[in-house]
Amino acid sequence: MQRRFIDYLVISLKGIAMGAADAVPGVSGGTIAFISGIYEELISTISNVNISLFKTLFQKGFKAFWNQLNGNFLLALLSGIIISFVSFMRLAKYLLENEPVLIWSFFFGLIIASIYFVGKQITKWNIAAYVGLILGAIIAFYISNLPSLANNENSLFLFFAGALAICAMILPGISGSFILVILGAYKTLSDALHDFDIKRIAIFACGAVIGLLSFSHLLKWLFKHYHNFTLAILTGFIFGSLNKVWPWKETLTWHLNSKGIKTPLLEKSISPFSYQGDSQLLIAILLMIVGFLTIFILEKIGSKT
């Protein structure tokens, strides 16, 4: 695929959007990749990282290796993801603690639009597609209601958390950050990024790489053999995740860490009119509309590149 510099710049911007989404527990960067038109290329590119790729490196040189890797695409996308994820994670942490209704409102609108754009790519609605849609929604809804575990800083645990989270990050609808929250690894990773703890970051990254290479092969196979059914499951994932990003919640149980700081452990979605405190309803609705329109813009950009 022949691309110009401006095309790679747009891919980097899509990476920035993916990284920002993945930094928020409840929103998947995979959804952004799907809507912006690069999802299947991303999965195919990742799954092509194998032994034959490194044979090409030693036998034909770096240029042939880079072309077979689709290196320009990966470099542009990963640059955007990494820069955005590391920088936006701090902002996301602040917004989640101080303006939770507003940030969830934006992403709620974003995900509502995502359901339409992913679902419309299903070319044939049959029994299998409906079963996939319902199954995906049930799984995502169940995951979104799991209580968070206590914070865990064990190195081996962080490795496996990275492997599981990266699988969720490339699945539309299931947030890798939310998986980290459930596992009790989100704070450990955010602290490591904040403190530039190279050891913990490296352990997490190793787990993420192994998880990504393994899971991408499965996704590529599913798209090749069960394209419609896979799309239906992914649409269901996004639909089922709406519960997690509903802006107005009531905290049922709290977790008290070693420093005496309370964080929500189990929450349930409630009506904005039952919300304790300022529901910020008007601003929330406006942000939902902004999130909804953001997906339309991404989809329009994606159809041109």
Side-chain angles (χ1 to χ4, degrees):
M1 185 183 296
Q2 294 296 319
R3 285 188 168 117
R4 302 164 297 166
F5 174 78
I6 188 67
D7 297 326
Y8 289 114
L9 184 60
V10 170
I11 290 170
S12 291
L13 292 175
K14 293 176 182 180
I16 288 172
M18 286 177 64
D22 273 323
V24 179
V27 186
S28 170
T31 303
I32 304 299
F34 209 109
I35 297 304
S36 60
I38 58 172
Y39 189 76
E40 290 193 47
E41 181 180 0
L42 175 61
I43 297 302
S44 180
T45 300
I46 295 168
S47 65
N48 285 336
V49 178
N50 50 34
I51 295 174
S52 68
L53 179 67
F54 292 98
K55 285 183 179 178
T56 300
L57 174 62
F58 293 116
Q59 294 173 2
K60 299 182 181 179
F62 182 78
K63 186 176 180 180
F65 162 83
W66 190 251
N67 289 334
Q68 186 178 330
L69 175 64
N70 198 10
N72 289 340
F73 168 80
L74 269 185
L75 180 62
L77 186 67
L78 288 177
S79 297
I81 291 173
I82 292 169
I83 291 169
S84 176
F85 186 80
V86 172
S87 57
F88 192 76
M89 200 169 195
R90 297 185 185 187
L91 176 60
K93 186 178 179 183
Y94 171 82
L95 291 173
L96 287 169
E97 290 172 355
N98 296 279
E99 298 290 350
V101 170
L102 299 185
I103 190 171
W104 288 130
S105 296
F106 172 78
F107 282 111
F108 187 84
L110 185 148
I111 289 178
I112 286 286
S114 301
I115 294 170
Y116 167 73
F117 280 110
V118 176
K120 79 172 186 176
Q121 296 184 54
I122 301 171
T123 55
K124 185 178 180 182
W125 282 98
N126 50 25
I127 294 175
Y130 284 111
V131 168
L133 178 71
I134 294 168
L135 185 64
I138 291 172
I139 292 171
F141 183 80
Y142 173 75
I143 291 174
S144 73
N145 281 287
L146 289 175
S148 305
L149 297 176
N151 197 46
N152 194 320
E153 299 182 0
N154 179 272
S155 296
L156 185 61
F157 173 82
L158 193 60
F159 176 88
F160 284 110
L164 285 172
I166 200 69
C167 293
M169 282 180 182
I170 60 173
L171 273 177
I174 296 182
S175 161
S177 292
F178 182 55
I179 295 298
L180 291 177
V181 170
I182 292 173
L183 294 174
Y186 184 79
K187 187 178 185 304
T188 302
L189 180 61
S190 60
D191 286 346
L193 290 170
H194 183 271
D195 300 333
F196 296 103
D197 188 332
I198 303 301
K199 180 183 176 182
R200 285 183 182 172
I201 294 172
I203 291 169
F204 179 85
C206 287
V209 168
I210 292 173
L212 186 61
L213 293 178
S214 305
F215 193 59
S216 61
H217 283 86
L218 173 61
L219 280 176
K220 184 180 180 181
W221 183 85
L222 286 172
F223 271 113
K224 184 177 180 180
H225 294 93
Y226 303 99
H227 193 267
N228 257 17
F229 182 69
T230 304
L231 284 174
I233 288 180
L234 296 180
T235 305
F237 279 160
I238 300 173
F239 184 76
S241 70
L242 281 174
N243 175 59
K244 173 58 187 170
V245 293
W246 179 249
W248 298 279
K249 295 187 179 295
E250 178 186 348
T251 303
L252 301 177
T253 57
W254 296 83
H255 169 66
L256 189 66
N257 67 15
S258 57
K259 296 180 180 178
I261 300 173
K262 289 201 308 182
T263 54
L265 186 62
L266 188 61
E267 299 176 306
K268 73 170 183 177
S269 298
I270 59 172
S271 162
F273 303 106
S274 304
Y275 185 73
Q276 295 296 315
D278 185 5
S279 66
Q280 300 173 287
L281 187 58
L282 181 59
I283 301 174
I285 292 172
L286 288 173
L287 284 171
M288 285 181 188
I289 295 170
V290 171
F292 192 88
L293 294 176
T294 299
I295 288 299
F296 276 81
I297 295 168
L298 280 172
E299 198 271 344
K300 200 165 186 66
I301 293 173
S303 63
K304 292 181 179 179
T305 55

